[in-house]
Amino acid sequence: MKTTTHSNGQGAGLLAEFEGTVSGHRDGHGFVLRDDGEADIYLPPNEMRAVLHKDRVKARIVRHDRKNRPEGRVTEIIERSPNPIIGRLLQESGVWLVAPEDKRYGQDVLIPKGAIGTAKPGQIVVVQLTEPPALFGQPVGRVKEVLGEIDDPGMEIEIAVRKYGVPHEFSDAALALARTLPDAVRPADKKGRVDLTDIPLVTIDGEDARDFDDAVYCEPAKVGRGKGWRLLVAIADVSHYVETGSAIDIDAYDRATSVYFPRRVIPMLPEKLSNGLCSLNPNVERLCMVCDMLVNAKGEVHAYQFYPAVMFSHARFTYTEVAAILANTRGPEAAQRKALVPHLLDLHDVYQALLKERGVRGAVDFETTETQIVCDEAGRIEKIVPRTRNVAHRLIEESMLAANVCSADFISGSKHEGLFRVHEGPTPEKKDILRTYLKALGIGMTITENPAPGEFQQIAMATKDRPDAMQIHSMLLRSMQQAIYTPMNAGHFGLAYEAYTHFTSPIRRYPDLLVHRVIKAVLTKSRYQLPVLPTPGEAEAKLSKRLASRVTEPDQKPKKPTADQLAWQAAGLHCSANERRADEASRDVEAWLKCKYMREHLGEEFGGVVTAATSFGIFVTLDAMYVEGLVHITELGGEYFRFDEARQELRGERTGLRYAIGTRVRVQVSRVDLDGRKIDFRLVREGEELVARAMKDKAGGRTSDLPEQERALPRKASEQRGDKRAGKGTEQRAGAREGSAAGSRTAKSPIQALKAAVKKSAASAGRKQSKKPRR
């Protein structure tokens, strides 16, 4: 819509009307995410009473607050969010209400007595609003679905799929269509396909994998006048069974991706396809699309071709097994797979060549730690362990990258519309932040105005042995943008490819399915026509606005897109937005499980490392648990701490004490908020640790089991304020001023502190005894 601006002397842009989506609450406040991608507008508490999170509104900027944030006023509610609200049913003073699980809603929902259905107090329910909130009235709703008790196994997943609107039930039409599909490859399906059943293709996946998208095979070959390899990457031919516009296709497009949770997967395709007919299971024939490549000794793809085929997987390997075979070709694992060992060695040889070419290309390759949550039968966390990437992981990764690059090159050369996986370089703002940061740390390297991926990799390699290497690599990663799906190819910055797409996972990613259809159309000299797609939703519209500047060249005059291009743009935005939705839902479940896990460790101490510094505190990841929590700035000590944005650290003004990414600390788990998905730590200092342990021995239990007044060092009154995670500017007070009424800041030794605590306890007991009435 067009906006009108009126000047009232308070600054440009005031009283400008705009449309946007409400995002709140935070301490009663909210924001409007503007459709035009401009700065988010702050809404004060009185403006949030009549609106809810995700409502679409029309608003105008009326002033700037003391923090110079644009403050708005809602002038019209365009559309109420259709999403149901998930929360816990409570009864207070005879009144039924639901406390939303997502705290951004900010208001409890009143439930009339006749609208609770079969729900019981304390249960998690899904609520449909019947009356929206008003300035002087709470929202009213009815219980639509009862999910169960909060501690039921898998409840966190049931909440997440509804909270983020993840489709988790296939339509009746899709399930009915899946039942009509065959259980195995039929003779008619093989028509026009290359027979690869005699080629020993194998799958290599994780131990817990259930669907197998890809199979690989390699053999030595002459490439030009030199030595090289023939590398085959065979991918499940989902497009043969999922026809464009069919019921299964509609459901798959709606989901856009499979969503992975601990212990559960919400697949993009019905199980008959994902785990059966399309999965490249061992010792059965399967239909596939093949990228057949010739790779020279330098790791360059000399030639490639695509063709539909029928294959027979000769083995289902795990990453662990392949790594063991490559490490010892005479070991027990190799003895069991004797016939296939030479082909695995050939795969390893081509991998080393591809890896060499990756280095020449200058692709970014940072090693990061990914974690895996291991649960028991009841769904409770047993442990959190790091996912270790071995040579087998990298071998498969390089093979898949090669096939994806060939796919992008094939589509580009055909002049056919398709979806590319685009990852553009850092924005001007992020480049400036990174340059300032590198200069502040005294690193004698920086990035140019138009940086190449190799520049980032060179900085990473040059600093890998520094104590703050983790901090530097983290900042390098943060300076990059998120990858998206779009028909406008702009290359892949991180991988240093001129064109890149996704071809290798059509069972779990819809863009890959579209790429398969385009490749088939090019092979048959036809043109693939996208089906009529649903109207893009809120997430896609928001993403479209925010990505508008990324997918057009600023120096070029934009051309009016054709109807076909617009359809592919919509498909790309839809897949990108739903990819983010899946990631958010997965992170939400993981955070919930970690919070539940850490509730069992309240009061315990762990070593950890600072993984982020902000104006309101530091985030610490525990060494043993791989769990992140916040040490609020009020827990850092009795002085002012200033946030240095250039160095990404907090620095004490009096002592010069620094907390930056990579700083090692010891913390105690002090608070866990399951609903808010937040974990709070407090720093443990040397003296405090000894006192806490002595008190623990005295009580014969954990410090967390002691009354608050008997714990090692009680919090000061100034530290007992509520959780204020939002920043309060770049300068924060972290304790009482030096020389304040607590003039007794002179540090006591651990023994003195313990004696004082015992003496105080004895004196308190004596006072209580003296107050007893005389007989």
Side-chain angles (χ1 to χ4, degrees):
M1 63 167 284
K2 292 183 179 179
T3 60
T4 55
T5 305
H6 307 279
S7 176
N8 63 355
Q10 294 183 355
L14 294 181
L15 300 184
E17 287 194 338
F18 58 89
E19 291 183 7
T21 304
V22 174
S23 178
H25 278 248
R26 191 156 65 223
D27 297 328
H29 306 139
F31 296 87
V32 176
L33 307 178
R34 295 177 58 162
D35 287 347
D36 56 17
E38 296 294 330
D40 300 340
I41 306 304
Y42 168 74
L43 291 179
N46 62 312
E47 289 292 325
M48 290 298 296
R49 285 201 295 263
V51 294
L52 288 175
H53 177 58
K54 291 189 177 180
D55 283 349
R56 282 195 54 75
V57 299
K58 187 184 293 183
R60 65 161 56 103
I61 303 171
V62 294
R63 65 177 68 86
H64 286 78
D65 66 6
R66 57 188 178 84
K67 296 181 181 179
N68 202 33
R69 296 179 298 188
E71 188 173 303
R73 175 176 300 160
V74 175
T75 58
E76 181 185 344
I77 298 171
I78 301 171
E79 182 184 10
R80 294 288 185 179
S81 171
N83 295 347
I85 297 174
I86 299 95
R88 190 179 301 197
L89 182 65
L90 305 172
Q91 189 179 31
E92 296 181 359
S93 304
V95 177
W96 291 92
L97 52 88
V98 168
E101 186 275 340
D102 189 337
K103 299 306 176 188
R104 289 174 294 183
Y105 281 99
Q107 302 185 58
D108 294 340
V109 181
L110 296 175
I111 309 294
K113 189 174 181 180
I116 63 171
T118 59
K120 298 175 182 177
Q123 288 187 318
I124 303 298
V125 297
V126 180
V127 172
Q128 193 68 51
L129 290 185
T130 55
E131 294 181 28
L135 283 176
F136 303 103
Q138 287 178 263
V140 180
R142 63 178 181 85
V143 174
K144 179 182 175 183
E145 182 184 3
V146 179
L147 299 183
E149 304 295 335
I150 187 65
D151 290 324
D152 287 350
M155 179 54 65
E156 69 281 0
I157 297 175
E158 297 297 332
I159 292 173
V161 295
R162 290 164 178 81
K163 178 178 176 180
Y164 291 95
V166 175
H168 58 285
E169 294 178 348
F170 286 104
S171 65
D172 292 339
L175 293 175
L177 180 57
R179 286 193 291 269
T180 66
L181 295 173
D183 296 319
V185 175
R186 300 165 297 192
D189 297 328
K190 302 179 185 180
K191 186 177 178 181
R193 292 179 177 270
V194 177
D195 188 346
L196 295 180
T197 53
D198 60 331
I199 301 291
L201 285 151
V202 299
T203 61
I204 305 175
D205 294 274
E207 281 80 0
D208 55 351
R210 294 179 61 196
D211 54 76
F212 309 110
D213 285 285
D214 54 87
V216 290
Y217 167 76
C218 185
E219 64 183 13
K222 191 172 182 180
V223 181
R225 296 182 179 179
K227 293 182 179 180
W229 301 268
R230 181 193 180 198
L231 174 62
L232 268 65
V233 174
I235 305 299
D237 191 358
V238 175
S239 62
H240 180 83
Y241 298 105
V242 181
E243 296 181 4
T244 299
S246 67
I248 295 176
D249 190 45
I250 291 170
D251 278 21
Y253 175 80
D254 190 30
R255 297 176 180 223
T257 180
S258 296
V259 187
Y260 292 86
F261 300 110
R263 303 179 301 110
R264 181 179 169 188
V265 177
I266 297 179
M268 186 181 79
L269 300 172
E271 188 174 356
K272 184 168 184 178
L273 289 167
S274 61
N275 294 347
L277 191 56
C278 290
S279 183
L280 304 182
N281 298 327
N283 305 317
V284 292
E285 289 186 342
R286 287 289 184 258
L287 304 183
C288 60
M289 284 294 294
V290 177
C291 181
D292 194 337
M293 296 167 276
L294 286 176
V295 182
N296 64 23
K298 295 180 180 180
E300 301 165 340
V301 178
H302 180 77
Y304 67 84
Q305 61 177 327
F306 288 92
Y307 51 82
V310 56
M311 61 161 283
F312 183 93
S313 175
H314 286 236
R316 181 267 200 265
F317 282 107
T318 66
Y319 293 121
T320 306
E321 186 181 7
V322 170
I325 291 172
L326 295 174
N328 181 10
T329 55
R330 295 183 179 180
E333 295 86 359
Q336 293 176 3
R337 308 279 197 173
K338 192 172 182 180
L340 296 172
V341 169
H343 304 304
L344 292 180
L345 293 174
D346 290 334
L347 275 168
H348 186 257
D349 289 342
V350 76
Y351 151 69
Q352 288 184 313
L354 291 169
L355 194 63
K356 188 190 302 180
E357 195 278 332
R358 182 191 187 109
V360 172
R361 201 171 69 243
V364 176
D365 188 15
F366 301 145
E367 283 295 332
T368 55
T369 302
E370 294 183 4
T371 58
Q372 177 183 2
I373 295 176
V374 180
C375 298
D376 60 19
E377 292 294 328
R380 296 183 179 87
I381 295 182
E382 286 185 341
K383 56 185 176 179
I384 302 172
V385 296
R387 286 187 185 271
T388 53
R389 274 167 41 87
N390 57 38
V391 66
H393 287 87
R394 297 184 177 93
L395 182 155
I396 290 297
E397 180 182 309
E398 288 299 329
S399 299
M400 298 305 114
L401 289 176
N404 286 338
V405 171
C406 291
S407 305
D409 184 72
F410 189 70
I411 293 173
S412 296
S414 70
K415 306 300 181 184
H416 194 297
E417 293 290 345
L419 285 186
F420 295 93
R421 182 69 167 175
V422 169
H423 179 232
E424 295 189 286
T427 62
E429 295 79 9
K430 289 188 175 184
K431 282 188 284 190
D432 289 341
I433 292 172
L434 181 60
R435 287 195 196 99
T436 304
Y437 171 76
L438 295 173
K439 184 178 179 180
L441 288 189
I443 298 172
M445 303 175 72
T446 188
I447 57 173
T448 60
E449 189 58 37
N450 188 24
E455 296 178 33
F456 287 77
Q457 188 64 19
Q458 287 169 9
I459 295 171
M461 294 300 294
T463 58
K464 66 179 182 179
D465 296 325
R466 287 177 53 129
D468 55 356
M470 178 183 170
Q471 174 185 357
I472 296 166
H473 294 182
S474 176
M475 282 299 296
L476 290 172
L477 281 172
R478 288 183 190 179
S479 69
M480 297 182 187
Q481 301 184 62
Q482 280 188 304
I484 60 169
Y485 294 106
T486 171
M488 290 165 280
N489 177 37
H492 197 292
F493 180 83
L495 294 173
Y497 288 131
E498 291 182 4
Y500 185 72
T501 192
H502 278 164
F503 164 78
T504 53
S505 297
I507 290 178
R508 60 185 180 89
R509 290 191 305 229
Y510 197 81
D512 303 54
L513 177 56
L514 291 177
V515 166
H516 276 233
R517 289 172 176 169
V518 170
I519 289 174
K520 279 188 174 181
V522 175
L523 290 174
T524 58
K525 294 182 172 55
S526 59
R527 195 159 190 87
Y528 176 67
Q529 187 67 42
L530 277 172
V532 177
L533 301 173
T535 304
E538 173 195 334
E540 293 92 314
K542 188 190 303 180
L543 186 63
S544 176
K545 296 290 185 183
R546 302 213 169 192
L547 296 178
S549 60
R550 293 177 52 183
V551 295
T552 56
E553 291 292 337
D555 299 333
Q556 295 179 0
K557 198 172 182 180
K559 297 179 181 178
K560 188 175 181 180
T562 65
D564 199 27
Q565 289 172 333
L566 286 173
W568 280 99
Q569 285 179 30
L573 287 168
H574 173 82
C575 292
S576 300
N578 284 11
E579 178 187 41
R580 281 153 180 70
R581 178 181 69 182
D583 289 342
E584 288 172 358
S586 297
R587 282 195 295 266
D588 189 79
V589 167
E590 198 168 297
W592 193 93
L593 286 170
K594 287 181 177 179
C595 285
K596 195 170 183 183
Y597 182 55
M598 293 309 293
R599 284 199 306 186
E600 301 172 6
H601 298 280
L602 275 170
E604 295 183 24
E605 298 172 10
F606 301 95
V609 64
V610 177
T611 47
T614 70
S615 60
F616 54 90
I618 55 175
F619 286 92
V620 175
T621 298
L622 305 182
D623 295 334
M625 305 287 196
Y626 301 96
V627 170
E628 186 180 71
L630 173 71
V631 179
H632 196 266
I633 197 163
T634 55
E635 297 281 6
L636 293 182
E639 63 177 311
Y640 283 104
F641 276 83
R642 184 185 295 274
F643 178 56
D644 187 335
E645 188 174 5
R647 293 176 177 268
Q648 290 291 298
E649 67 181 20
L650 283 173
R651 182 190 293 266
E653 287 194 344
R654 179 171 56 85
T655 62
L657 187 63
R658 298 166 51 199
Y659 293 102
I661 301 171
T663 303
R664 297 208 58 80
V665 293
R666 188 160 185 83
V667 296
Q668 181 187 53
V669 184
S670 60
R671 178 174 173 265
V672 176
D673 178 5
L674 191 61
D675 291 336
R677 314 291 197 268
K678 297 172 184 175
I679 301 170
D680 287 342
F681 299 145
R682 61 180 295 270
L683 284 183
V684 175
R685 298 170 184 85
E686 187 177 348
E688 294 181 51
E689 188 177 351
L690 292 171
V691 177
R693 287 176 181 166
M695 295 297 287
K696 177 179 175 181
D697 293 339
K698 174 189 170 190
R702 296 189 315 195
T703 8
S704 58
D705 296 330
L706 296 171
E708 180 70 31
Q709 66 271 21
E710 290 184 16
R711 296 189 189 172
L713 289 178
R715 292 186 180 184
K716 305 180 186 71
S718 63
E719 295 175 346
Q720 293 175 351
R721 292 173 293 187
D723 181 24
K724 306 291 184 186
R725 287 176 181 253
K728 296 183 180 178
T730 57
E731 192 171 334
Q732 296 284 339
R733 185 175 182 180
R737 284 186 184 271
E738 204 170 359
S740 65
S744 57
R745 188 176 292 191
T746 308
K748 297 179 181 178
S749 72
I751 299 302
Q752 288 175 324
L754 180 57
K755 285 181 178 179
V758 173
K759 187 175 180 181
K760 183 178 179 181
S761 178
S764 177
R767 284 195 298 272
K768 290 181 180 178
Q769 186 69 25
S770 65
K771 290 181 181 178
K772 289 184 178 181
R774 295 181 180 178
R775 293 184 182 276

